[in-house]
Amino acid sequence: MQRKTPSCVVFSHGYEESDALRKLSTLAILVAATAFLAGARLPPQGPMPEPRPDAGQATSPTSPSSEADPPAPEEVPTPQPKPDPKDPQAPVPHPPPAPQAAPSKPEPAEPMQGPPRPPGSPESSQPPTEEGKPPGEQTLEEQHLTIEPESDAEHAECTAALQSLGVAFKDTPRIDDGNGCGIDKPIIVSEALPGIRLKPEATMRCPAALALARWMKDSVIPAASAALPEQGRITTVNQATSYMCRLRNGAGTGKISEHARGNAIDIASFHFEKGEDVAVRSRREDSTLTGAFQRTVSAAGCLYFTTVLDPESDAAHETHFHLDVIERKGGYRYCH
């Protein structure tokens, strides 16, 4: 009886045959790839770098980098041959530019007379007049000033306010001393307030007299009562100057004084019922009640007058208060 071959042998034979075919296929692929790579060649010439753009030509801006190219060294100018003067076509060399001279220092301004003008004041930039001198260098005659007119209604209102305060005064004819000195509607004040004489009598405009009366009533009398009660009440105010035709600080040239327009009065001292007069003098370091009284009334003066100059302001006012009611632009006041 004949024995049959097991099927597993057949399967093993088929598997071995498939594996051999895969190995032959892989070997064929490797041989073909080797032949392809053996036939490959590098190009005869590689890529050449682009020429660098000329430094003199404009280039498009590039994005900033962390390292910048170093700047190119400046070209050193080569000496040029001296032109032949006989050759008309020879270039003419240009001389180097002359160095600029340093700006000269401005001349120091002349010392100002009287209080400074406010910023933006029309007086701050006046052109020279026909005489060719700026206003600060002109005499009173050269300035051709005129007296400022006063309104009848405003004068009547002002004198009514004086009467309500008990100020003793009288009207006087118009004053015209020429060159702008004078008062359109002057008054003569003999008492600053009831029972307080103004010595000597003072000629001024009504607005100046009204400011004096209000200052005395609201500030000077209360300050004297608080600081110097043992001296009693104030009986006299001694004035040094009221109306006077002159320039500021009595100078020969410059702005006209407010005294020449009836707008100012100088107070030299206060006389009390008892004790000595309180003279106006430098009291910045005076720690007494008398010093406190003077500093108080000086500071309070700016509530009523537009200019207050005391002994601490300058040498011209070492012995008195200068008080005036000049009108300035924007309600500006000067108090020192």
Side-chain angles (χ1 to χ4, degrees):
M1 186 175 177
Q2 195 176 12
R3 184 180 295 179
K4 293 181 180 181
T5 305
S7 58
C8 61
V9 174
V10 177
F11 291 149
S12 173
H13 177 73
Y15 174 76
E16 292 177 357
E17 186 177 349
S18 297
D19 184 53
L21 289 175
R22 281 198 298 271
K23 290 181 179 180
L24 288 175
S25 298
T26 302
L27 181 60
I29 293 172
L30 291 175
V31 172
T34 302
F36 176 78
L37 291 175
R41 295 288 188 272
L42 292 174
Q45 185 176 1
M48 300 297 292
E50 293 292 334
R52 183 177 180 180
D54 190 5
Q57 296 179 355
T59 59
S60 59
T62 58
S63 59
S65 60
S66 59
E67 294 182 7
D69 293 334
E74 296 183 358
E75 296 183 359
V76 180
T78 57
Q80 299 293 330
K82 184 177 181 180
D84 187 0
K86 297 180 181 180
D87 186 3
Q89 297 182 353
V92 180
H94 296 283
Q100 296 182 356
S104 58
K105 295 182 180 180
E107 295 293 333
E110 295 185 357
M112 180 178 55
Q113 298 179 4
R117 292 184 293 272
S121 171
E123 295 182 355
S124 60
S125 58
Q126 293 185 2
T129 59
E130 57 187 1
E131 286 83 4
K133 298 179 182 178
E137 298 179 2
Q138 295 176 8
T139 64
L140 187 59
E141 293 76 12
E142 292 172 335
Q143 297 184 41
H144 307 297
L145 302 174
T146 58
I147 299 172
E148 296 180 2
E150 296 185 62
S151 164
D152 291 338
E154 291 179 357
H155 181 71
E157 182 180 356
C158 181
T159 54
L162 287 181
Q163 291 170 353
S164 66
L165 290 170
V167 178
F169 70 95
K170 61 181 179 181
D171 291 319
T172 190
R174 185 177 189 269
I175 300 173
D176 187 352
D177 290 332
N179 301 314
C181 290
I183 305 175
D184 189 26
K185 293 177 170 56
I187 62 173
I188 299 175
V189 180
S190 55
E191 286 190 1
L193 285 174
I196 302 179
R197 288 193 306 154
L198 191 57
K199 184 180 179 180
E201 294 179 338
T203 301
M204 61 182 76
R205 289 180 62 237
C206 181
L210 184 58
L212 176 66
R214 289 172 173 169
W215 175 59
M216 290 291 301
K217 179 178 181 296
D218 297 335
S219 297
V220 178
I221 292 175
S225 299
L228 307 168
E230 69 283 357
Q231 293 195 202
R233 67 182 186 88
I234 297 175
T235 60
T236 305
V237 176
N238 298 302
Q239 61 98 3
T241 310
S242 55
Y243 170 76
M244 179 180 288
C245 182
R246 62 174 175 82
L247 297 179
R248 292 179 182 177
N249 299 337
T253 59
K255 296 296 181 181
I256 190 171
S257 170
E258 291 307 304
H259 288 284
R261 298 187 182 276
N263 287 328
I265 187 169
D266 293 343
I267 304 299
S269 64
F270 301 93
H271 180 73
F272 290 77
E273 287 180 313
K274 308 170 187 177
E276 299 178 354
D277 291 359
V278 175
V280 178
R281 58 181 177 83
S282 179
R283 296 184 185 275
R284 177 180 295 173
E285 306 299 332
D286 188 346
S287 58
T288 67
L289 286 171
T290 301
F293 163 74
Q294 179 177 302
R295 292 191 297 272
T296 299
V297 298
S298 174
C302 210
L303 300 175
Y304 311 94
F305 297 92
T306 56
T307 305
V308 177
L309 301 176
D310 64 15
E312 315 300 340
S313 62
D314 55 29
H317 301 90
E318 289 180 338
T319 59
H320 62 275
F321 293 138
H322 169 90
L323 312 170
D324 73 47
V325 291
I326 183 176
E327 293 184 6
R328 296 188 178 92
K329 184 178 180 181
Y332 174 79
R333 299 187 175 209
Y334 181 80
C335 305
H336 191 291

